[in-house]
Structures are given as structure tokens and as C-alpha cells.
Amino acid sequence: MKFTGLTSAEAEASRRAHGANVIPEPQWMTFGQAFMETFRDPMIRILLVMVALMIAMYFAGHAEIYEPVGTIVTVIIVATVSARTNVASDTEYRALRARTAKDTAKVCRDDGLVVMPVDDIVVGDHVILQGGNKIPADGMLIAGELRVNNTALNGETEECPKLPADTDYRFPEEITGDSFVDTSTLFRGSVVFDGEGVMEVCRVGTGTMMGQMAAEMQAREPDSPLQVKLSKLADQISAFGYVSGLVIISLYMMFFALRAGGLEAYVMLGWSQILVDLIQAVSLAILIIVCAVPEGLPLMISLVLMQNTSRMLARGVLVRRAVGIETAGSVNILFSDKTGTITGGQLEVVEFFTAGGCVLTDIEAHAALHEKLKLAIGMNSAAMYDESGSVVGGNPTDQAVMRFLGAETYRAMQANDGYRVGQRQTFNSTNKFSHAELPARGTVVYKGAPEALLARAKYALTADGAVVPFDAAQLNEKINAYAARAMRVLAFGYSTQPFRKNEINNDVVLIGLAAIRDDVRPEAREAITEVQAAGVQVVMVTGDRRETAVAIARDAGLLRADGDLVLTSSDLALMSDEEVQRVLLQLRVIARALPTDKSRIVRLSQQMNLVVGMTGDGVNDSPALRRADVGFAMGSGTEAARDAGDIVILDDNFRSIKDAILYGRTIYNNILKFCRFQLVINIAAVVVSAVAPFFGIIEPLRVTHLLFINLVMDSLGAIMLGNEPAHESYMREKPRRRDANLITPAMTVQIVCMGAWLVVLSFFFLTDADIAAVFDGKAEHYTAYFLFFVIAALMNGFNVRSTGFGIFRDLSENVGFLKVWAGIVLIMAAIINAPYIPHAVGAWIGGMFSTTPIHAGGWALVTLLAATMIPVDLMRKAAWRGIMRVWEGDASGEKA
């Protein structure tokens, strides 16, 4: 049959009627869009409200301009850093897409054969398909015979035979899992294993299954767990601010009344004085509330995400959305694709054994057997090695045994005329074997299903090459044992009788058998164990049949306990959402999974407040990758999957997912360290500033002091703690729920205790006569207190580096910590000693900060008192650890 195809005019008419075969690329984020996206952050919004209040107070003459200006600069830096991080990630990903060559196809047009980009294909085109081709659109086979790999669409590695469609065939309106494996329907993204045929295009572009999934991914992603926690923290800070503001205003009005001699005397001063006092109280309350907001937190998050994004790229992990790396550390449940992630992604010979059951690990050491096996593989296969050393052609089984043979052996055989092949018959589903004649050696070699060869064989080779009888029943038992482990077994044999088409000679001798499987990666098995130890539930999701999925899951370490659950797509279809959620925590494997199953299970997990990770490489994985809190797309996967993922695993290795979880937890722990560091400062500054007037101390920390503490310490503290190294101990922590508070009870205890100690030290420093006597006057005393407050906060920086006692551990891995720590001390020294500068700028700095130089003895006293922050927190940690041991002991006793 001759296929003339469409004319150019018909193709253009079809394009107008049905559209082009183009799947729109994802919308790339511009710098401006990424910059504006930052202002969705709840913490940034609080800062902007504070800026508006401070600007209003400045124009009313009750505030300095430094605070709003400094805050605006901080917000701009945060937005710029965040935008650069996201745009840089998009740039890397666009480069990855650009490196992927555009697909082409052979199309019948204008009575000829044209090779054209797949984007130019239209409905009605006739496309020539051959082994290795990627199917360019959805359609039906109208001529020829194909074996197709639908892995990109349904995750199955099984060969799917396709035959020409009947005359009454209609392309299915509704696509189901059965549509992929029917007799004639072809889908874009599938790959032709073997055969030749002609396809008629029925759907193109967004009308294809791949296009529909791409459209489904345009929905907005859910907020990340970090965004949820920050939003919750912002609400808490806002509530704290409103309440604190009212309390502070009330306390100050009471203070003014008491100072006047009572409420009646205060009223007698007149409403004008009361209004002035009220404005002063409101101004101070707003200033204190502004100081309570950790302004450096958004900057810290932006910096730490940017730094770790570049680190992960060096490890083969491309972070497309910066927040995805932090989300990875919060994952509670991880749904992992099997093929290419847990397994190697291609069939391999796992074991080779003789008919007597002897497993051989070094075939070449058995010369006689190896020589026969070389013939049965190298001269009897549709697969071969190309110039680059890759195996091409044939079906996956042929390719697996060819890789087992090795490129060097294959090429040596091809170069030797003694291995010339005569007659040959390739594998077919009826005979279930292939065989080839080697005239120079007087041998016919066979490769095929064990049952085909065992039906004719009476003898087999031993490991030493001797020909002996074998026990067929015992051999079948061993073959069944391999089948139970989801391995297919291939038998090899030879005969000295002449070549007979479609027939195995009755003198065939078994050379041996190969157990073949897409096997579990050794590093994946280890990484799964580590991820499970981190409290993450790993669920394997595959399109394979249940028996294969169970065998792989056992080898991977996913199925261990009796209560571990395996469900199929059919099982899920019969269960309500509530029933699925009841068994979700016992679920370990989903077999024969459809795209809808993946999206559903992700949604149900999120409804249980679990943070969901999803890995995948196919079009069928894309909607679930998009819906999940963090999607891990495989670098070798489809563009649709990579577009949907937050993180692209360039090496397709489960270990890289484990690394992403570790770095995500490192980021989260560094954020917590900063919160502990900054909130101690903020709480102490608020309490001291609010309570000091009742002790007769007016402005112990000037407005400029508070600005320095609030802005400089925030920003530099973010840099100081943002580079803290990753610790494997983080992988032993339990994952956090989506709705968990950012500030945990243990953190609250540390923040309150150390904040209280800093407050106690502050009032001791400000009120003790002996301390005051050390300094020359009130100005030097108050300057020393400003210095003390900053150094005490820096000392607490060591405390927050570890929840245990190793507060100085691994400082060499974060040299920036010591540099920033020393830099802040030097900045303080410069501010305090500014009057010594022989220039007007020195006097201006000293006047702005209301500071005066301090003698060496004063520096020593300040440093000594500030250093008590460290031993006090170590004692607190020891006490807390003791309390928790008693608590856990009581709890275990109650359970017993």
C-alpha cells in the first residue's frame, strides 16, 4: 500500500481546523515577576505596614527616618535576592531544555517522504514509525506492526504490541489506563521498541494526552509548608503587636498619671498635656513593636535558599523553585516512581546460572562455557553496540544480554571472520526464541524462553564446560523462584545439527540461563533506608503489575513489616477517600497506578496535613508532580515532568533525593537558629525599653541603638547563621506537619529563658552602683550598655548553633560565622570610638548614636558579663534534657 499523505494545502487547512502540534512551554518567570512575587510573603507585608506607620510618625515629628528607610532597603534586598535566585534557577532549566534536541519525524507529504519537526505535524498526516522513534502525536496504526514502550505515559516497561486498526476503529474520546495497551492506539511520548508501521495522526498539540496533562499543570501550586508556617508566625506577631501595643500604651499612661501624683492630678494638667503624653506613648509603643518584628528573617531565608540552590546544582540537583529545597526537608510522605529512580531504568542481567543451578559471577573464568555463550548472545541478537559504546536496536531483553556480553567482546567477534553468521531467524511471539547459524563452527545457537528450549534439551553444560544430563524439574523450580522475584529468565543453547526455520533441534545443549530485571540500584536501597530512618514514609508508585511491584519493593527495603500495605489502582477505585486515608500510613506500594491515582493520593495526603513529595519522569507523573508540595522530576524524563517539578534530579538517582531532604532540613534548621538568635534580641529590647522608665531609666537604648540592633544585627545575623553546615543528625529528626508552628515549645523555652537572662543582666548593668562606678559618667555608662547588649546577643549566637552542647563544633565549615561575629564587634568599636576621628564625620556618628569612647576596663567588664550568656544556656540545656528524660520515662511507663 502506498501512502501519499496530505498535500501542503491540506496540511495547512488541517492546521487551521485542529491547531498545531505544539505543547506550550511553561511561562518563564521574569525578574520583575519574581521581584513582585516576594511581596506575597506575609513577613514582608508586616514590614511594609511598619514602614507606613514609621513614615507617618516621622512626618508627625515623633520618629527618625532611619528606621523606615533601612526597612525599605532590607525589603528591596530581599526581593532582589529572591528574584535572582528564582530567575537563575529558571535560566539553568531553560538551558537544560535547550540542550535537548528538537524531535523530528518522517511524514508523507505531497507524494513524498519529508523529515520535519514534530511541531509541524497536523491531524491527518501519515507518519512512518520505526524502532527507536518517539511517537510525535496521538493517533492510530494503519499499517505495519509495532512493539511500543509506554513508560513515559504509564510507567510500565512492558512491550505493548500494536496492530493496524480495523475499519470501524474510532480514536477513544475518554482515555483510560487500558487505552495505552489496546491494539491500535498510539500516544505522543511513547517510544517504538521494534517493528515498522504507518501512523495516522488523530490529535495534535494540546489535544493529545501529553498536551492535556501539560494544560492541567497550569493550575496554581499550593503554598509551601514554609509559607504556611511563616503566615502563621506573621499572624502571631501581628496579634502580639496589637496586644503589646495596647498594654504598653496603658502602662505608659499609668506611668504619666503616677508621675503627676495620681489620676485626678494628671487630669488637672489639661487635655493638651494628656494628648502629648498619649502621642509619646503611642510613638514608643509602635517603635517597640517594630523592634519585635524579625526583619532579617525574609532576608535570611532568601540568602540561605540562594546559597543552597547553587550547592545542590553542584551535586546534580537543579532546584527550579528555590522554596522547593526547603520543602524537601519537611516531607512526611514521599511517593516515588519505580523505573529509573528506585531501579536503574533498564533491564539488566542480574544473575547467570547453569542448568544445574550453579550461579556464575565471573563467566570469563569458565572458558568453554563463555565461548558458547558469546555465540548465543553476540551472533544471535537484534541489538548491537554503536560507535559511542551504547547498545542500540533490538528489544529491552536483547539490549540487556548485549550489555552483559560487553562492548569489547562484541567488537572482537565482529572483526573475526570465524564468527560469520549464515541463516538467522529473529525472535517472534509465536516461537518464543531466536536462532542463528555459524557455518564456520558447525553450530546453531539459540536464545529464548526457557520453556521453549527445555522442551527439546536433554543435556546442559556445567561450569567447567562438560556436557551432562540435567534435572528439568529442579531447574523449573529455580526458574519459578526467579519469577517470584519479578525476574524474567532467558535460556541459551547450541546444536550441531543443521539450521531449521521455526524449529529447535532435538540435540540442543543448554549453555545456561540469565535472570533479567530492571533491578534496584544499590545506592537507592541505602538511600531509602536513610530516608525511612528520617521518618519519611516512602511509597513506591508504579504501572507494573502487583507481583513485580511487590518483588521490587521487597528488594528495595520498602516492604518489611506484616502491616505494610500494597494496593493496586483497582483497589483504590473501590475505596472511598476516607477509607484510603485510614490506611494511608500503612501504604508502601501502589501498583498499576494511573495518573488520576497519583493526583488523588497526593490530595488526600495533603488533606491529612502531610507534606507530600512526588518523584516521576513521565507525562503521567506530571499532574501529581505539580500538585505535590515538592515534585522531584528526573533529568532524563519527559519535558512535561521536568516542567512540573520543583527540583530536577539530573542523575535520576534516589540518593540525590535523600541529599535534597538533608539540605532542606539544614535550611529549616538554620532558619530556626536565626529565629532563636533574633527573637531573644527582640524580646529583650522590647521588655527593657518598655519597663526601664518605671525604674527611672529613660531611653536605655536610644532610637538609633534600636535601629542598629533591629537592622544591622538582623541582616548580619542572617549571613552569620545562614551558612551553617549540614549535619547527618538532621536526618534522624522527625518530619514536621504542614500546620506545625515554626516556633516549637523547646525553642520557646530557650528564647524566653535567654531573653529573660538578658533582661536581668540589662537591669543589673543599668542599676548597680558598682557597675556604674566603673564608667566615667552616665554617657559612658549608657554607651557601655549598648555595647553590652550587642555582645551578649553575639554570645548567644554560639548557643543557637546547636540544640546540644556542641556550640563550637564545625566552626571551620562556617568561617563566615566568625568573620561576621568579629565584623559586628569592629563596627561597634568604630561607632563608639568615632569621636576620635579627626573629622566632622566622627562627631556626626558619635552624635547620631549618642556614644562616647569606653576605656579598656569597661570593654573587659562588658565582655565578661555578656559571656555569661553561654554557661547559662548550657545549664538550661542540661536541665531541659533532664526534664525531657523524666517526661519520656513517665510516658513510657504509662504506655506499658
Side-chain angles (χ1 to χ4, degrees):
M1 181 184 295
K2 178 177 174 59
F3 294 93
T4 58
L6 303 176
T7 64
S8 296
E10 290 171 335
E12 188 58 37
S14 177
R15 185 175 289 107
R16 288 194 298 269
H18 303 287
N21 193 34
V22 176
I23 295 178
E25 288 193 354
Q27 293 294 318
W28 303 113
M29 185 174 287
T30 65
F31 181 86
Q33 290 171 329
F35 187 91
M36 296 306 298
E37 183 73 11
T38 306
F39 294 93
R40 290 183 55 237
D41 188 303
M43 296 299 297
I44 294 292
R45 290 178 176 177
I46 286 182
L47 292 181
L48 294 178
V49 172
M50 294 295 101
V51 166
L53 289 173
M54 293 301 295
I55 289 176
M57 289 175 60
Y58 167 73
F59 284 110
H62 297 287
E64 299 283 353
I65 194 61
Y66 310 117
E67 174 78 8
V69 170
T71 303
I72 290 171
V73 170
T74 300
V75 169
I76 291 173
I77 293 173
V78 169
T80 303
V81 170
S82 298
R84 286 191 60 186
T85 301
N86 285 317
V87 170
S89 298
D90 259 0
T91 301
E92 287 287 347
Y93 180 63
R94 290 170 74 174
L96 176 66
R97 284 180 64 109
R99 289 194 295 269
T100 304
K102 289 289 185 182
D103 292 328
T104 59
K106 296 184 284 290
V107 182
C108 299
R109 284 276 180 94
D110 296 318
D111 292 333
L113 188 64
V114 180
V115 177
M116 64 174 60
V118 297
D119 290 356
D120 294 341
I121 290 174
V122 299
V123 171
D125 266 330
H126 289 163
V127 180
I128 309 299
L129 296 174
Q130 296 172 308
N133 289 164
K134 187 181 291 186
I135 296 173
D138 289 2
M140 60 179 175
L141 189 65
I142 58 175
E145 184 176 340
L146 302 175
R147 293 204 303 280
V148 174
N149 175 8
N150 287 316
T151 302
L153 295 168
N154 66 358
E156 295 185 18
T157 56
E158 298 171 347
E159 299 175 25
C160 180
K162 298 290 181 180
L163 299 171
D166 296 333
T167 54
D168 59 348
Y169 171 90
R170 294 291 180 272
F171 193 89
E173 291 295 326
E174 296 293 330
I175 306 299
T176 66
D178 294 332
S179 303
F180 297 129
V181 294
D182 70 10
T183 56
S184 304
T185 311
L186 301 172
F187 293 93
R188 180 172 183 164
S190 297
V191 177
V192 178
F193 267 142
D194 199 9
E196 291 188 359
V198 180
M199 164 193 176
E200 181 174 312
V201 176
C202 299
R203 291 181 181 174
V204 293
T206 55
T208 63
M209 170 61 70
M210 184 177 286
Q212 290 172 21
M213 291 186 180
E216 190 176 334
M217 293 186 297
Q218 299 305 313
R220 193 179 178 279
E221 296 178 83
D223 286 341
S224 72
L226 180 60
Q227 289 170 329
V228 172
K229 290 178 174 66
L230 288 176
S231 179
K232 198 169 184 178
L233 179 62
D235 292 340
Q236 292 168 341
I237 289 175
S238 298
F240 171 77
Y242 297 139
V243 174
S244 298
L246 292 174
V247 170
I248 290 171
I249 292 170
S250 300
L251 288 175
Y252 266 79
M253 295 308 293
M254 289 171 57
F255 170 73
F256 294 139
L258 291 172
R259 189 175 60 180
L263 182 60
E264 186 176 347
Y266 186 52
V267 172
M268 293 298 293
L269 294 176
W271 290 107
S272 60
Q273 181 61 47
I274 293 174
L275 181 60
V276 170
D277 290 343
L278 179 61
I279 292 174
Q280 183 180 349
V282 170
S283 301
L284 185 57
I286 292 175
L287 177 61
I288 291 172
I289 292 167
V290 169
C291 289
V293 177
E295 291 170 310
L297 184 56
L299 176 61
M300 192 270 183
I301 292 171
S302 297
L303 288 174
V304 78
L305 289 177
M306 180 178 68
Q307 291 160 352
N308 284 279
T309 293
S310 59
R311 288 175 184 168
M312 290 307 295
L313 184 59
R315 285 175 165 257
V317 178
L318 172 59
V319 182
R320 290 200 58 224
R321 298 175 182 88
V323 75
I325 187 66
E326 185 281 326
T327 306
S330 302
V331 165
N332 303 108
I333 185 168
L334 176 65
F335 295 101
S336 177
D337 186 36
K338 173 186 74 70
T339 306
T341 308
I342 294 176
T343 64
Q346 60 185 14
L347 294 178
E348 300 287 352
V349 174
V350 179
E351 285 184 1
F352 182 87
F353 58 99
T354 66
C358 178
V359 177
L360 305 181
T361 55
D362 184 3
I363 305 295
E364 294 185 11
H366 307 276
L369 186 148
H370 182 239
E371 180 63 24
K372 296 293 186 185
L373 183 63
K374 286 194 309 182
L375 300 175
I377 296 176
M379 314 314 297
N380 181 29
S381 176
M384 65 185 71
Y385 280 92
D386 64 12
E387 293 181 358
S388 67
S390 299
V391 177
V392 296
N395 60 32
T397 305
D398 278 341
Q399 294 178 1
V401 294
M402 186 60 73
R403 281 189 290 270
F404 180 65
L405 178 67
E408 187 176 336
T409 302
Y410 174 79
R411 290 195 173 115
M413 294 175 70
Q414 291 294 313
N416 189 334
D417 288 339
Y419 291 101
R420 184 176 54 82
V421 177
Q423 298 181 76
R424 172 185 288 172
Q425 185 173 10
T426 59
F427 178 91
N428 64 66
S429 56
T430 302
N431 292 337
K432 295 186 178 181
F433 70 90
S434 65
H435 60 314
E437 178 189 31
L438 303 172
R441 295 177 177 270
T443 302
V444 177
V445 289
Y446 298 87
K447 169 171 61 69
E451 61 269 24
L453 269 69
L454 286 177
R456 306 288 285 175
K458 300 293 187 296
Y459 296 93
L461 290 182
T462 65
D464 297 330
V467 179
V468 298
F470 67 93
D471 187 336
Q474 185 179 13
L475 181 56
N476 274 317
E477 189 176 327
K478 189 171 184 68
I479 291 171
N480 291 336
Y482 279 107
R485 294 168 55 194
M487 296 186 188
R488 65 180 67 176
V489 177
L490 194 64
F492 305 92
Y494 72 93
S495 165
T496 57
Q497 294 181 0
F499 179 94
R500 292 184 176 89
K501 191 174 182 180
N502 295 323
E503 188 176 338
I504 298 175
N505 294 334
N506 57 15
D507 72 332
V508 68
V509 177
L510 285 179
I511 301 168
L513 302 97
I516 301 171
R517 186 174 74 179
D518 181 10
D519 207 24
V520 177
R521 295 185 176 202
E523 66 273 20
R525 189 180 289 111
E526 179 184 346
I528 286 171
T529 300
E530 293 180 21
V531 169
Q532 289 174 325
V536 179
Q537 179 184 347
V538 181
V539 180
M540 187 178 80
V541 184
T542 175
D544 281 331
R545 59 195 180 96
R546 182 190 181 101
E547 294 78 11
T548 302
V550 167
I552 294 291
R554 290 194 191 282
D555 280 1
L558 290 171
L559 288 174
R560 295 177 177 176
D562 293 338
D564 291 343
L565 187 62
V566 178
L567 295 176
T568 65
S569 178
S570 300
D571 296 330
L572 288 172
L574 297 174
M575 300 171 70
S576 67
D577 287 355
E578 293 74 18
E579 289 172 328
V580 174
Q581 287 179 327
R582 277 198 294 271
V583 300
L584 184 62
L585 298 182
Q586 284 74 49
L587 186 60
R588 297 294 179 270
V589 177
I590 302 175
R592 288 298 191 200
L594 297 175
T596 50
D597 296 325
K598 298 176 184 182
S599 296
R600 180 190 180 199
I601 204 75
V602 168
R603 172 177 57 81
L604 294 179
S605 300
Q606 289 171 331
Q607 287 176 1
M608 295 173 67
N609 276 325
L610 297 175
V611 180
V612 182
M614 168 66 74
T615 78
D617 58 1
V619 176
N620 63 314
D621 300 316
S622 304
L625 286 169
R626 183 74 170 179
R627 180 183 288 274
D629 295 298
V630 56
F632 298 96
M634 300 300 111
S636 64
T638 60
E639 284 188 357
R642 295 198 300 264
D643 290 345
D646 302 289
I647 295 173
V648 180
I649 307 298
L650 299 177
D651 59 2
D652 292 8
N653 198 327
F654 196 94
R655 171 156 290 283
S656 295
I657 298 173
K658 176 259 177 183
D659 290 340
I661 292 174
L662 172 60
Y663 271 83
R665 292 191 173 190
T666 300
I667 290 171
Y668 191 79
N669 274 278
N670 288 351
I671 291 171
L672 298 186
K673 290 174 185 179
F674 176 78
C675 287
R676 291 197 296 268
F677 171 76
Q678 194 59 45
L679 291 177
V680 166
I681 297 174
N682 291 0
I683 286 176
V686 167
V687 173
V688 170
S689 299
V691 177
F694 294 93
F695 288 83
I697 304 169
I698 306 300
E699 288 191 303
L701 290 171
R702 306 273 182 177
V703 171
T704 49
H705 297 170
L706 291 172
L707 293 177
F708 181 90
I709 292 168
N710 205 35
L711 294 176
V712 178
M713 292 289 285
D714 269 21
S715 304
L716 295 181
I719 299 171
M720 189 167 69
L721 293 166
N723 273 321
E724 283 291 283
H727 295 298
E728 288 293 334
S729 60
Y730 295 153
M731 292 298 289
R732 296 191 290 274
E733 297 175 354
K734 292 182 179 180
R736 295 169 178 83
R737 290 171 60 90
R738 172 191 301 277
D739 58 351
N741 286 318
L742 193 67
I743 309 300
T744 64
M747 285 178 62
T748 303
V749 170
Q750 182 175 22
I751 292 166
V752 170
C753 287
M754 297 316 297
W757 180 246
L758 184 51
V759 169
V760 169
L761 283 177
S762 294
F763 283 108
F764 172 70
F765 194 96
L766 290 167
T767 60
D768 185 76
D770 293 332
I771 295 288
V774 173
F775 302 101
D776 186 13
K778 185 177 180 180
E780 188 177 338
H781 186 197
Y782 275 34
T783 299
Y785 173 67
F786 175 37
L787 175 63
F788 160 78
F789 194 94
V790 170
I791 294 181
L794 289 176
M795 292 294 182
N796 193 50
F798 289 105
N799 292 332
V800 303
R801 292 191 69 244
S802 172
T803 55
F805 302 106
I807 60 177
F808 301 110
R809 185 183 63 175
D810 296 331
L811 274 172
S812 60
E813 295 184 38
N814 185 10
V815 179
F817 182 96
L818 295 177
K819 288 181 177 178
V820 172
W821 200 99
I824 293 174
V825 173
L826 291 175
I827 291 171
M828 286 298 298
I831 291 172
I832 291 170
N833 294 297
Y836 289 141
I837 299 175
H839 193 276
V841 70
W844 179 78
I845 293 174
M848 182 176 68
F849 284 96
S850 304
T851 56
T852 187
I854 304 171
H855 57 81
W859 274 85
L861 175 62
V862 164
T863 304
L864 184 63
L865 281 174
T868 62
M869 295 287 288
I870 292 176
V872 167
D873 193 52
L874 292 175
M875 288 188 288
R876 180 204 62 80
K877 288 175 180 176
W880 178 257
R881 184 166 294 185
I883 292 170
M884 292 308 296
R885 282 176 182 165
V886 171
W887 176 270
E888 289 170 0
D890 290 345
S892 61
E894 289 176 8
K895 289 177 184 177

